[in-house]
């Protein structure tokens, strides 16, 4: 590819690949308008081919943005500017005319924790300050991509315009992209995605780690009424791979509300019992709760099999028979590296051994990768270079890999990928699991009494999280449906939408469960071994869905009866009484905290049915 030199050409960009004239009228108009706005020197319409991918990776290597990892097959390491390492919630907004379309009005004018709103006028001003001329000297890449299998009735198409070849390489992993998508699009509708790193050439100041970004001006905006996403100033995946959280959750949740389906922050797995019966489940967990580990579970119970459909996002829609069918709209895994090991997730470790882009992990001197929790001893003489590109040893007092360092890897490489993971009609979901990291008070597993109660359980989700620097230690944060950073519209209306699923004609509603792998004893650490032993919980759920396992009504929902969980072969003694104990004082304070959150954050938009479930819980707790 030609070197990217400052523009001398005022007649528009030089076309490096593709035929702009062959694009549909709407797509050509979208490209032309943004070429005029951003003023790139070159235009490249992506075809998704192996040859194009190789050329992009070579270009990134020549520019110093990525480095080949000689220990593995076609694996690469990117180190970002240390100011551009994660999603930036404070600069991620939804643009609507009415603020209440985006977030409920908090009680007494407080700050909403359920999203950030920007007015159309503010957004127009922000665009004018950032985008004119922002791609000068660079190539604008046109990436047609499909969220979901190309041609599936559950899939949606987007087109991302970007000046980042790192985004092109990553979108090829995370989505289906290229010629086949353009053909499937025809003259149809698409979500309009515009991204720029915000560093026109020539540069005004030198790059850090050869990584272009403009953190002072970072903005990630969603305009649902226009089916549009605009991102500026960040090259980090969560802010720049616009098919991911931006489209697949924020914009898709709004589309889903209008069209009568669900776009959720959920893994999807297939569970097969020793008799060969199979059921699919979807699960929503906040970060650091073992989501990818569950999606790629290695069961400790003999004869059980778990297969992965997706590890992060589920789009779910009722079919004509009333089954809730789900697709994974993504094509890859964008996983957090630290904590991933042969012990915790052998299937993930096998998946990432080839064709993977690593970002902000540490590098070993023999051409490999390293991070905290990898639990691999290095050969003698092998040294480590940190994500900051500095020599590193365990005595340094800071991690070698950034805590949010990532692997971007093709899902099809997962050794337990489900045979139906790309099925156009999706897989039938029979159980939905909510969960969080709760050291105290919350039992290992319980089943909601009803769909309405299950929606309340999702709305009341809380999880331990390392708080912001101004707090000490860890705090329990509200993260309803594990969607708190990803709602595309008012959370109260989102709850009403979930409740409305029960009104779908002939709906076979999945059972809803809540799990907590992380309950601790005051003296002995975690009460439950977790990881592969979580199959024992899935086994009980599986039999509950089939009507074959006992459940005992409790304050919070149905608990497993004392002999209904299969604990054969457990490597450590488990105190079931402590794991399932329910303390009245704990649950009284839980009721009050959830009530405070609903009152202050959801306020007038809280559906009556959810408020009713909170009252029912309070009454049950009083009777304990």
């Amino acid at each position: 590819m030609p070197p990217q030199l400052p523009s001398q050409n005022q007649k528009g960009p030089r076309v490096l690949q593709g035929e702009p004239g062959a694009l549909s009228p709407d797509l050509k108009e979208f490209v032309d308008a943004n070429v005029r706005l951003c003023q790139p020197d070159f235009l490249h319409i992506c075809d998704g081919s192996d040859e194009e991918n190789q050329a992009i990776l070579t270009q990134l290597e020549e520019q110093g943005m990525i480095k080949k990892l000689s220990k593995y097959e076609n694996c690469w390491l990117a180190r970002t500017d240390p100011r551009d390492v994660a999603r930036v919630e404070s600069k991620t907004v939804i643009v609507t005319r009415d603020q209440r379309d985006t977030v409920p009005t908090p009680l007494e004018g407080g700050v909403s924790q359920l999203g950030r709103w920007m007015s159309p006028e503010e957004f127009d001003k922000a665009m004018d300050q950032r985008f004119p001329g922002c791609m000068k000297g660079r190539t604008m890449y046109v990436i047609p991509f499909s969220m979901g299998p190309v041609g599936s009735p559950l899939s949606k198409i987007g087109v991302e315009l970007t000046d980042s070849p790192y985004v092109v390489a990553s979108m090829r992993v995370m989505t289906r992209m290229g010629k086949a998508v353009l053909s499937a699009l025809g003259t149809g509708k698409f979500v309009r995605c515009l991204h720029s790193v915000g560093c026109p050439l020539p540069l005004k100041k030198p790059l850090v780690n050869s990584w272009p970004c403009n953190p002072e001006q970072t903005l990630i905006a969603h305009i649902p009424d226009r089916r549009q996403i605009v991102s500026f100033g960040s090259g980090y995946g969560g802010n720049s791979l616009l098919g991911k959280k931006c489209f697949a959750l924020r914009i898709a949740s709004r589309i889903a509300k209008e069209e009568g389906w669900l776009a959720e922050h959920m893994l999807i797995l297939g569970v097969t019992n020793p008799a060969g019966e199979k059921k699919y489940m979807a699960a929503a967990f906040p970060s650091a709760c073992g989501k990818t580990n569950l999606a790629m579970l290695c069961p400790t119970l003999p004869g059980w099999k778990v297969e992965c459909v997706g590890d992060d996002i589920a789009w779910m829609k009722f079919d004509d028979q009333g089954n809730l069918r789900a697709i994974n709209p993504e094509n890859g895994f964008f996983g957090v590296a630290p904590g991933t090991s042969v012990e915790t997730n052998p299937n993930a470790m096998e998946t990432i051994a080839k064709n993977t882009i690593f970002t902000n992990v540490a590098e070993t001197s023999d051409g490999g990768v390293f991070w905290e929790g990898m639990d691999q001893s290095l050969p003698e003489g092998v040294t480590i270079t940190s994500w900051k590109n500095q020599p590193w040893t365990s005595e340094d007092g800071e991690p070698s890999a950034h805590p949010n360092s990532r692997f971007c890897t093709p899902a099809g490489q997962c050794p337990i990928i489900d045979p139906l993971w790309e099925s156009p009609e999706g897989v039938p979901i029979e159980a939905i699991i909510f969960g969080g990291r709760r050291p105290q008070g919350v039992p290992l597993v319980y089943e909601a009494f009803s769909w309405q109660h299950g929606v309340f359980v999702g709305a009341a989700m809380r999880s331990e999280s390392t708080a912001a620097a101004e707090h000490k230690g860890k705090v329990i944060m509200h993260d309803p449906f594990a969607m708190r950073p990803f709602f595309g519209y008012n959370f109260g209306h989102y709850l009403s939408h979930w409740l409305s699923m029960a009104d779908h004609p002939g709906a076979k509603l999945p059972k809803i469960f809540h799990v907590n792998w992380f309950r601790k004893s005051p003296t002995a650490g975690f009460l439950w071994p977790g990881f592969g032993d979580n199959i024992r919980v899935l086994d009980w759920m599986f039999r509950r869905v089939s009507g074959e396992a006992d459940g005992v009504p409790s304050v919070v929902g149905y608990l497993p009866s004392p002999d209904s969980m299969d604990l054969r072969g457990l490597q450590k003694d488990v105190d079931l009484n402590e794991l399932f104990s329910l303390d009245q004082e704990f649950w009284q304070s839980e009721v009050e905290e959830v009530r405070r959150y609903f009152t202050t954050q959801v306020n007038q938009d809280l559906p009556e049915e959810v408020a009713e479930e909170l009252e029912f819980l309070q009454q049950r707790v009083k009777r304990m």
Side-chain angles (χ1 to χ4, degrees), residues 372-391:
E372 280 57 41
M374 191 183 234
D375 297 335
Q376 285 183 2
S377 51
L378 295 175
E380 197 173 336
V382 171
T383 58
I384 294 173
T385 302
S386 77
W387 74 278
K388 295 179 178 176
N389 207 14
Q390 300 293 326

Side-chain angles (χ1 to χ4, degrees), residues 236-474:
Y236 167 75
N239 303 322
S240 65
L241 311 182
L242 301 185
K244 195 157 180 60
K245 304 292 204 248
C246 296
F247 180 166
L249 289 178
R250 296 191 191 98
I251 291 292
S253 65
R254 167 70 182 269
I255 297 173
K257 176 178 178 282
E258 294 172 12
E259 296 182 355
W261 49 281
L262 298 168
E264 298 300 325
H265 188 207
M266 291 182 178
L267 64 90
I268 309 167
L269 46 74
V271 185
T272 305
N273 71 6
E277 300 167 292
K278 186 169 188 177
K279 296 187 187 301
Y280 288 94
M281 304 179 180
F285 299 147
S287 60
C289 290
K291 200 167 165 209
T292 301
N293 291 344
L294 184 63
M296 301 185 192
L297 188 84
C298 291
T300 54
L301 279 179
W304 284 83
K305 183 164 74 169
V306 167
E307 291 165 299
C308 176
V309 177
D311 78 325
D312 196 40
I313 295 171
W315 287 0
M316 301 183 285
K317 187 176 185 178
F318 286 109
D319 66 13
D320 294 341
Q321 286 74 48
N323 300 300
L324 188 63
R325 290 194 165 265
I327 60 165
N328 167 14
E330 299 190 293
N331 193 48
F333 303 132
F334 187 66
V336 175
T340 307
S341 70
V342 173
E343 181 72 21
T344 61
N345 197 335
N347 290 313
M349 293 299 284
E350 192 175 330
T351 305
I352 62 181
K354 61 181 180 182
N355 304 319
T356 298
I357 301 169
F358 296 93
T359 302
N360 287 340
V361 302
E363 178 189 9
T364 59
S365 56
D366 61 350
V369 291
F370 185 82
W371 50 75
E372 280 57 41
M374 191 183 234
D375 297 335
Q376 285 183 2
S377 51
L378 295 175
E380 197 173 336
V382 171
T383 58
I384 294 173
T385 302
S386 77
W387 74 278
K388 295 179 178 176
N389 207 14
Q390 300 293 326
W392 182 91
T393 70
S394 54
E395 282 81 53
D396 281 10
E398 64 176 25
S400 63
H402 188 275
N404 194 43
S405 54
R406 297 280 173 162
F407 54 78
C408 178
T409 194
Q413 293 180 180
C414 178
I416 59 158
I417 198 74
D418 193 89
L420 295 181
W421 86 280
E422 293 194 282
S423 164
E425 61 271 14
V427 296
I429 299 297
E430 295 188 64
I432 290 172
I433 306 165
F434 296 121
R437 183 180 281 266
R438 300 301 303 270
Q440 296 170 317
V442 179
L444 175 64
V445 58
Y446 61 90
E447 178 193 326
F449 292 123
S450 64
W451 181 260
Q452 179 174 303
H453 179 229
V455 173
F456 165 77
V457 169
M461 271 174 66
R462 302 173 68 209
S463 188
E464 183 182 69
S465 165
T466 304
E470 63 263 30
H471 301 290
K472 296 266 195 265
K474 302 201 170 181

Side-chain angles (χ1 to χ4, degrees), residues 33-221:
N34 285 294
V35 162
R36 289 193 296 274
L37 176 67
C38 303
Q39 299 167 37
D41 277 33
F42 306 100
L43 186 70
H44 176 122
I45 300 169
C46 296
D47 61 16
S49 65
D50 289 340
E51 295 76 15
E52 174 185 73
N53 185 52
Q54 207 47 59
I56 292 283
L57 291 168
T58 301
Q59 177 191 339
L60 283 164
E61 190 176 25
E62 288 170 356
Q63 292 175 354
M65 279 187 76
I66 63 172
K67 179 178 183 179
K68 198 165 180 56
L69 293 161
S70 58
K71 196 171 178 178
Y72 318 111
E73 180 190 338
N74 192 34
C75 286
W76 305 83
L77 173 63
R79 292 188 180 98
T80 73
D81 186 313
R83 299 171 301 164
D84 188 23
V85 293
R87 285 184 295 104
V88 191
E89 285 183 29
S90 61
K91 299 180 178 184
T92 302
V93 300
I94 311 283
V95 180
T96 51
R97 173 60 55 197
D98 184 347
Q99 183 168 356
R100 201 164 162 186
D101 287 342
T102 294
V103 287
T105 305
L107 190 68
E108 297 172 354
V111 177
S112 177
Q113 298 168 16
L114 292 162
R116 295 182 75 87
W117 173 74
M118 182 178 269
S119 71
E121 291 78 16
E122 278 183 281
F123 171 69
D124 289 344
K125 185 178 171 187
M127 282 287 289
D128 290 345
Q129 288 171 342
R130 288 165 174 81
F131 277 91
C134 67
M135 295 188 185
K136 282 182 180 177
R138 298 191 179 274
T139 299
M140 175 186 279
Y141 298 93
V142 180
I143 309 173
F145 65 95
S146 178
M147 299 308 292
V150 178
S152 162
L154 295 171
S155 296
K156 300 286 181 187
I157 286 175
V159 177
E160 177 164 356
L161 311 180
T162 180
D163 54 9
S164 167
Y166 171 87
V167 167
V168 179
S170 302
M171 285 289 282
R172 188 174 185 269
V173 175
M174 292 306 301
T175 70
R176 289 90 177 164
M177 75 90 128
K179 264 186 184 166
V181 179
L182 273 184
S183 301
L185 174 62
T187 57
K189 293 179 179 175
F190 58 94
V191 172
R192 295 157 188 253
C193 308
L194 173 63
H195 168 256
S196 174
V197 293
C199 293
L201 297 175
L203 294 168
K204 292 190 172 67
K205 50 189 172 184
L207 301 179
V208 179
N209 287 334
S210 305
W211 182 266
C213 62
N214 188 345
E216 294 81 14
Q217 292 289 310
T218 293
L219 179 70
I220 302 95

Side-chain angles (χ1 to χ4, degrees), residues 7-24:
S7 174
Q8 304 300 319
N9 180 7
Q10 301 306 310
K11 295 180 183 174
R14 181 177 153 211
V15 178
L16 302 178
Q17 180 175 296
E19 295 180 41
L23 302 175
S24 73

